[in-house]
Amino acid sequence: MLLAMALIAGSPMVAPGPDLPLVVLDPGHGGRDPGAIGVGGVPEKTLTLAAARAIRDALLASRRVRVAMTREDDRFVSLEQRTERARRMGAALFLSLHCDGATDAKASGGTIYTLSEVASDKEAARLAARENRADLLPGVDLRAAGADVASLLIDLAQRRTMEVSARYADLLEREAGVAMRLHPRPRRMAALAVLKAPDVPSVLFELGYVSNPQDLRFLGSAAGRAQLAASVRRATEIFLATRGPRR
């Protein structure tokens, strides 16, 4: 049965049920930003979009989630727009999809990133310094709070979000590790812009190296993307089924 399509905050969203949790998929790069260029000239932006579409279809097939994508075609979307759309839509999970590139063609495997604690501290301070703080945390108006109090509340919320993000990253590592090749050190932390939402669990998944022929063949094939999508679906279903109280 065809699923109804809705348009929310500029992002196409497939909505099988309004009460189901929302997963926002973020295909990296797009438009004037091709990302890394792979073997044979294949751009990262093409691979991430194809992977996101496969994951979207796998998630929707479960009929347990709604799915939105930050882009559904070859267009440029700023990093800030990507995370803000997820926050405005009340996403239960934000999964950003990228590919690595290296001068060493032997470098291979997927890596999974969550936000580092140092980045969390700096981001909390930056957000607390904003003039309009009314919408930084759901259900909390920080406009009357001093910068120190606001920074503390944001930091507490963000650290809770980091814990939840890490739990999803653990599940993703476990499930994806069965379906595809992961880097020998697959779990990492970094100050990546798309991971800094204080109230949305966020993970960035580098799907492999476009500079590695084997990784590229996997990501470029429908069969490879189907395996990837199935693993993300399993990790996501377990994550959402076992999460704590909703936002």
Side-chain angles (χ1 to χ4, degrees):
M1 183 178 69
L2 292 178
L3 299 175
M5 300 293 295
L7 191 66
I8 295 184
S11 296
M13 182 171 72
V14 185
D19 297 327
L20 295 177
L22 173 66
V23 176
V24 174
L25 300 175
D26 175 42
H29 307 281
R32 66 177 184 266
D33 175 16
I37 304 301
V39 179
V42 179
E44 179 182 355
K45 66 177 183 178
T46 300
L47 296 169
T48 59
L49 182 58
R53 287 170 173 166
I55 294 170
R56 174 198 62 194
D57 293 346
L59 290 174
L60 289 173
S62 73
R63 301 193 64 80
R64 296 180 182 179
V65 297
R66 294 173 294 145
V67 181
M69 291 171 55
T70 56
R71 66 179 182 95
E72 289 205 340
D73 52 23
D74 185 19
R75 70 177 63 193
F76 176 80
V77 183
S78 72
L79 297 177
E80 184 174 292
Q81 286 176 316
R82 294 169 188 264
T83 54
E84 280 303 308
R85 287 176 180 178
R87 295 192 69 237
R88 286 201 304 269
M89 290 187 285
L93 177 66
F94 179 83
L95 179 60
S96 190
L97 303 170
H98 287 259
C99 298
D100 267 317
T103 55
D104 182 2
K106 293 181 180 179
S108 66
T111 50
I112 300 166
Y113 286 86
T114 53
L115 185 65
S116 71
E117 291 187 3
V118 172
S120 175
D121 291 340
K122 291 181 178 180
E123 184 66 7
R126 185 189 71 81
L127 291 173
R130 277 176 35 173
E131 288 187 18
N132 182 9
R133 300 195 297 248
D135 62 346
L136 286 177
L137 298 177
V140 181
D141 189 344
L142 297 175
R143 286 176 295 185
D148 290 343
V149 173
S151 180
L152 175 61
L153 292 175
I154 294 167
D155 180 67
L156 290 173
Q158 193 154 45
R159 288 181 183 278
R160 168 58 181 160
T161 299
M162 288 169 63
E163 292 176 3
V164 179
S165 300
R167 186 164 60 82
Y168 179 67
D170 287 340
L171 291 167
L172 189 57
E173 179 186 3
R174 186 185 74 185
E175 299 299 331
V178 177
M180 60 183 286
R181 181 165 52 179
L182 295 181
H183 190 276
R185 187 170 64 88
R187 285 293 304 280
R188 302 181 188 182
M189 303 180 76
L192 301 170
V194 292
L195 299 177
K196 293 181 180 181
D199 53 344
V200 179
S202 303
V203 170
L204 185 144
F205 191 3
E206 295 273 5
L207 302 173
Y209 283 76
V210 296
S211 49
N212 181 278
Q214 186 174 342
D215 283 4
L216 192 59
R217 281 195 299 271
F218 179 84
L219 294 173
S221 70
R225 291 193 297 270
Q227 292 178 51
L228 165 67
S231 70
V232 174
R233 171 178 167 172
R234 288 192 298 270
T236 303
E237 287 179 344
I238 296 169
F239 170 76
L240 294 174
T242 58
R243 64 180 174 156
R246 297 186 182 184
R247 288 175 48 198

